[in-house]
Amino acid sequence: MANIVVFASGSGTNFQAIIDAVESGKIDGRLRGLITNKPDIGAIKRAKKHNIEYSILSPADFTDADKYTRVLLQTLNEWETDIIALAGYLVKVPTEIINRYEGRILNIHPALLPKYGGKGFYGLKVHQAVVENEELESGCTVHLVTDEYDAGPVLAQAKVAVKKSDDASTLAKRILEQEHRLYPKVIAKMADKINAKSKI
């Protein structure tokens, strides 16, 4: 069974969607842990509620980047990680981690990439830009993580019409609903592939 580790920096609603999909059997995997760079966030409360291990690891707490990367790798090794799912994680994943888990790190972005992606485009900033540019549609994208922000291969997208009455918050709410549906499905597919390989 595929071991999944979620990286999150906020309230953890996508984390909750993954938890629910695992617990209901929609994802054939086990949630081994949560990595976060912030204490006292909603994602940690969700981890505690569901008896999921968590580790608070922030680059700012380490004297140099190499030490941070080593501890992060060690934690992922201890959890026997197969899949890393970024869910509102606002720290750049070290290159060494990306190389080690190539093709197995997923991210969900609240726009239709390649539009509104890259450094600085996260959270409400994305939706604000979409509304200001009077786009007719937006949505969310699940993609593989590479060294460049939001530039990895796109695996799936869900579209949402942008209403004339929308502001960043109302658009964000509708897109988030799609994120909660789309992300677990993509993670489930990756878990199935890993599980099939382990049976060979």
Side-chain angles (χ1 to χ4, degrees):
M1 190 180 282
N3 290 324
I4 303 157
V5 174
V6 174
F7 285 32
S9 298
S11 63
T13 62
N14 271 307
F15 180 34
Q16 187 66 55
I18 297 165
I19 292 170
D20 293 344
V22 168
E23 291 185 350
S24 67
K26 289 177 182 173
I27 295 175
D28 186 15
R30 68 172 77 78
L31 269 166
R32 286 303 303 266
L34 167 73
I35 298 280
T36 181
N37 59 309
K38 294 180 179 179
D40 306 319
I41 57 167
I44 290 176
K45 290 175 186 170
R46 296 175 195 275
K48 287 179 178 175
K49 185 179 177 184
H50 294 270
N51 297 312
I52 297 165
E53 284 187 72
Y54 67 92
S55 182
I56 302 167
L57 292 172
S58 171
D61 295 334
F62 292 82
T63 52
D64 64 61
D66 286 344
K67 283 183 182 175
Y68 163 69
T69 301
R70 275 201 305 275
V71 174
L72 188 51
L73 264 176
Q74 186 181 341
T75 306
L76 292 170
N77 284 335
E78 284 172 5
W79 286 340
E80 299 176 318
T81 306
D82 293 307
I83 298 168
I84 295 171
L86 309 186
Y89 188 61
L90 301 179
V91 176
K92 193 168 193 310
V93 178
T95 301
E96 198 174 332
I97 305 288
I98 291 171
N99 293 339
R100 169 74 177 78
Y101 293 94
E102 187 180 359
R104 292 182 288 141
I105 307 178
L106 300 167
N107 183 48
I108 185 142
H109 184 77
L112 297 174
L113 293 175
K115 281 189 169 185
Y116 304 103
K119 195 164 186 178
F121 276 117
Y122 61 88
L124 281 178
K125 291 181 180 183
V126 174
H127 306 300
Q128 190 66 46
V130 168
V131 170
E132 285 174 1
N133 289 332
E134 299 181 350
E135 296 282 358
L136 297 177
E137 65 178 12
S138 190
C140 54
T141 302
V142 180
H143 66 94
L144 291 177
V145 174
T146 60
D147 246 347
E148 193 179 338
Y149 280 109
D150 302 326
V154 169
L155 299 181
Q157 290 184 320
K159 294 180 180 179
V160 167
V162 180
K163 299 176 181 177
K164 285 185 179 178
S165 59
D166 269 328
D167 59 21
S169 296
T170 57
L171 181 59
K173 189 177 177 185
R174 290 207 315 285
I175 289 176
L176 195 60
E177 288 171 2
Q178 293 300 321
E179 289 180 38
H180 295 164
R181 293 190 188 105
L182 184 67
Y183 208 9
K185 287 179 184 174
V186 178
I187 293 168
K189 278 186 183 176
M190 185 170 279
D192 285 347
K193 282 183 184 175
I194 287 166
N195 292 336
K197 278 182 184 174
S198 69
K199 288 173 185 173
I200 295 170

